[in-house]
Amino acid sequence: MFRRPLRPVAAAAAALAAVGGLTAATAAPASASSTSRSRHILLLSVDGLHQSDLARYIAQHPRSALARLAGGGVEYTHARTTVPSDSFPGMVGQLTGGDPGVTGVYYDDTYSNALLPAGTTDCAGVKPGAEVDLTEDLDKNKNSIDAGQGLSGLPDSILNMTGNAADLIDPAKLPVDPKTCRPVYPHSYLKVNTVFDVARKAGLRTAWSDKHVAYEILDGPSGNGIQDLFAPEINSQAIGYPAGEDWTKDNAATEQYDTYKVKAVLNSIDGYDHSGTHRTGVPAVFGMNFQSVSTAQKLPSSDGLAGGYTSADVPGPLLEKNLGFVDQEVGALLDEIHKRGLDGSTTVILSSKHGQSPTDPKALTRIDDGPLLDGLDAAWKAAHPGAGDLVAHAVDDDAMLLWLNDRSQAAADFAKAYLLARSGTGTGIDGAAKPFKASGLKTVYAGAAAARYFHVRPGDSRVPDVYGVGQYGVVYTGGKSKIAEHGGAHADDLDVPLVVSGTATPHSVRVDSPVRTTQIAPTILRLLGLNPRDLDAVRIEHTRSLPVR
């Protein structure tokens, strides 16, 4: 199934359009039975990858693994990820079928007005309001790739890392539930169940690999959705590289890091746990994320090669090299599936948690958000003598999310007016001064407008009080070591690839109508013969499965 080269297609496209209400491109006859079903779903997220990157790569490398993958199934050319386009809402969306307003997950580092600060042990009389940090900060030791397990012989021994990621979370770093006065683990913070929850209830095996132990959130509310979660810490000290550099600071290090997760998935394909030591059988739902494309897009240079894009949508040498790396690794996974005779029972889904912006280097404007937020707090206190800081928590990458200590509409409007009135000077792609206006923001949703934007009620305990959509090319950073980011709502953040390829799909079909990555979750269950409506978010948002047959 994975070895067929990309070819024009026809009747299958018409069939997809009829089944799913979508318009498919010209295509050849379908080669998959409408009654075929998968026993295994391999989900791959190539973080940062745009649909334009995939299309360009396939056009230039028609015999590549990525071309074989697209040619062996259905390619959705207008897929969009969640807003905000951050890793956590993006991945959670793919595996729940829900957007942040339903899942309750807006970013990897957010704020809740219903929880108590981490470390609270006596909850009586403590005022609610707490950071919810789902990053490396939760690790028992965030400086070690094993997150504090204490393995010897790292990094070569990393496959011996536990598959129970929750064991490596420091509970003292978790926010606290005021009702129970107990720490809230990531899986308990998620408001809806996951594909893994549903698969486990059906008696199916599950496995996943990602970049932080905080991805324990994908276990779902049951707390045991993923039987084997391999989560080496990407923001730990990169062993063998200069002190102070994590695995994202050098693209070669990121590639090395990604190969550990690829090996874990290869072991799963072979019927073992991620370590390759315990025979468990091939999981029904499993997969991983690649981080190295994202690194190649963000770094100005690495390993003697320029990062990012040379011009609009044209990958530079580092990114080109890394796309080849990902193609090679995906090829290894597809070859192992074939070697193990799993072609007839496996469907591979390839997408991305998020894109990256800007893909036009001339548009880059770096803005230090620190002075903007300090100025906002100072202006608020000047206008309200005796008041404290207005900003309780902020997350700014290429969008601006603010949670305020005063949650009134007047306070949110004050923040909006202040930010839109600020001008200043940032830096461009060449490091030279570059002016900006309106704090680099295109649109600001404040108070009730922010709640409506995310389809929740005003006063929701998790929704940002201010959500600012950045102007194209704006990246909030105090330095010059970053040339792209994600999290916003521009097309470069949102337009990601989506390919469903394998035993349950026709071949070489292209669907050009809009779809969303949240449709991956119900599609996985449908392909496995399970009921997509067993997902909470699918019932709430009426998320439709992708038309794949």
Side-chain angles (χ1 to χ4, degrees):
M1 65 172 186
F2 302 116
R3 297 183 176 276
R4 293 179 173 82
L6 186 65
R7 64 182 188 274
V9 220
L16 284 182
V19 171
L22 299 180
T23 303
T26 304
S31 54
S33 165
S34 62
T35 59
S36 60
R37 179 177 294 173
S38 294
R39 291 176 53 204
H40 312 288
I41 306 293
L42 173 60
L43 176 61
L44 303 174
S45 175
V46 185
D47 296 2
L49 189 66
H50 304 97
Q51 169 58 24
S52 58
D53 297 325
L54 179 64
R56 182 184 181 88
Y57 189 86
I58 288 175
Q60 294 179 344
H61 304 86
R63 295 186 178 275
S64 64
L66 292 172
R68 284 188 284 142
L69 188 65
V74 185
E75 181 181 5
Y76 303 87
T77 63
H78 287 81
R80 286 204 158 195
T81 189
T82 58
V83 177
S85 55
D86 179 55
S87 294
F88 261 80
M91 196 73 254
V92 166
Q94 289 188 31
L95 287 165
T96 65
D99 288 297
V102 168
T103 66
V105 179
Y106 290 86
Y107 227 81
D108 62 359
D109 185 10
T110 60
Y111 193 83
S112 170
N113 285 280
L115 299 178
L116 305 182
T120 302
T121 55
D122 183 357
C123 297
V126 179
K127 181 181 178 181
E131 179 182 7
V132 181
D133 191 342
L134 300 173
T135 69
E136 67 276 9
D137 292 332
L138 292 188
D139 300 357
K140 287 185 175 179
N141 179 2
K142 66 181 181 181
N143 293 316
S144 176
I145 190 172
D146 70 357
Q149 184 173 337
L151 295 173
S152 60
L154 291 171
D156 294 341
S157 64
I158 189 58
L159 287 171
N160 294 323
M161 188 175 178
T162 179
N164 188 3
D167 289 347
L168 300 175
I169 292 176
D170 183 349
K173 299 175 182 178
L174 296 168
V176 174
D177 184 342
K179 296 179 181 178
T180 64
C181 208
R182 296 177 64 86
V184 178
Y185 277 78
H187 74 266
S188 296
Y189 189 69
L190 183 61
K191 289 184 175 182
V192 296
N193 64 352
T194 71
V195 164
F196 297 120
D197 278 315
V198 177
R200 284 297 308 280
K201 285 186 177 181
L204 303 179
R205 181 162 180 81
T206 59
W208 186 253
S209 181
D210 223 303
K211 60 183 179 178
H212 306 305
V213 296
Y215 275 90
E216 185 261 1
I217 195 171
L218 299 177
D219 269 328
S222 69
N224 60 10
I226 305 175
Q227 289 167 285
D228 186 7
L229 176 55
F230 176 57
E233 179 52 63
I234 194 168
N235 291 120
S236 62
Q237 169 65 47
I239 301 169
Y241 293 84
E245 289 192 2
D246 67 30
W247 298 93
T248 70
K249 296 299 188 293
D250 185 301
N251 190 245
T254 318
E255 290 184 354
Q256 178 181 338
Y257 168 88
D258 277 349
T259 62
Y260 299 135
K261 292 184 292 186
V262 170
K263 179 57 178 174
V265 176
L266 288 170
N267 287 337
S268 291
I269 293 170
D270 292 344
Y272 290 86
D273 71 342
H274 76 266
S275 71
T277 58
H278 303 289
R279 180 167 284 281
T280 57
V282 183
V285 186
F286 65 120
M288 61 168 282
N289 86 301
F290 286 90
Q291 197 67 25
S292 42
V293 163
S294 182
T295 299
Q297 293 166 325
K298 287 184 178 183
L299 293 173
S301 64
S302 186
D303 310 313
L305 298 174
Y309 295 81
T310 58
S311 58
D313 296 319
V314 178
L318 183 65
L319 183 52
E320 284 279 17
K321 171 181 172 291
N322 195 255
L323 291 171
F325 164 78
V326 169
D327 181 76
Q328 169 188 299
E329 299 304 305
V330 170
L333 297 173
L334 301 186
D335 289 346
E336 195 70 11
I337 288 171
H338 178 73
K339 177 181 175 182
R340 296 298 176 183
L342 299 173
D343 302 65
S345 60
T346 303
T347 298
V348 179
I349 300 176
L350 182 141
S351 190
S352 180
K353 299 174 185 176
H354 57 78
Q356 211 88 257
S357 180
T359 59
D360 182 355
K362 293 184 296 184
L364 177 67
T365 305
R366 301 185 191 92
I367 298 175
D368 187 352
D369 57 324
L372 293 174
L373 300 181
D374 290 343
L376 172 57
D377 279 337
W380 174 256
K381 287 185 279 192
H384 302 80
D389 288 343
L390 179 59
V391 179
H393 189 70
V395 177
D396 311 324
D397 284 324
D398 70 340
M400 187 173 286
L401 288 75
L402 305 182
W403 288 264
L404 306 180
N405 285 309
D406 183 332
R407 304 204 71 201
S408 68
Q409 185 64 46
D413 288 340
F414 182 96
K416 174 181 178 178
Y418 178 88
L419 292 169
L420 290 177
R422 302 278 77 75
S423 298
T425 303
T427 60
I429 188 67
D430 57 359
K434 190 174 183 179
F436 67 83
K437 296 181 179 180
S439 299
L441 298 170
K442 176 182 178 182
T443 308
V444 178
Y445 300 91
R452 286 194 298 271
Y453 184 85
F454 291 110
H455 306 291
V456 297
R457 294 179 179 178
D460 178 271
S461 63
R462 302 187 187 187
V463 70
D465 295 293
V466 176
Y467 179 65
V469 177
Q471 298 166 18
Y472 181 60
V474 165
V475 171
Y476 292 105
T477 177
K480 297 181 181 180
S481 61
K482 192 180 293 186
I483 59 175
E485 256 299 354
H486 55 270
H490 190 274
D492 283 0
D493 295 298
L494 303 177
D495 292 351
V496 296
L498 178 50
V499 175
V500 182
S501 178
T503 185
T505 67
H507 295 155
S508 301
V509 173
R510 190 183 71 200
V511 175
D512 292 327
S513 296
V515 296
R516 304 191 65 236
T517 56
T518 52
Q519 293 178 257
I520 291 172
T523 301
I524 290 174
L525 295 187
R526 180 183 169 202
L527 291 172
L528 290 172
L530 302 177
N531 187 355
R533 287 185 59 79
D534 285 343
L535 288 169
D536 300 331
V538 166
R539 294 194 305 275
I540 295 168
E541 293 197 350
H542 308 289
T543 312
R544 297 179 63 186
S545 299
L546 295 164
V548 294
R549 57 187 182 191

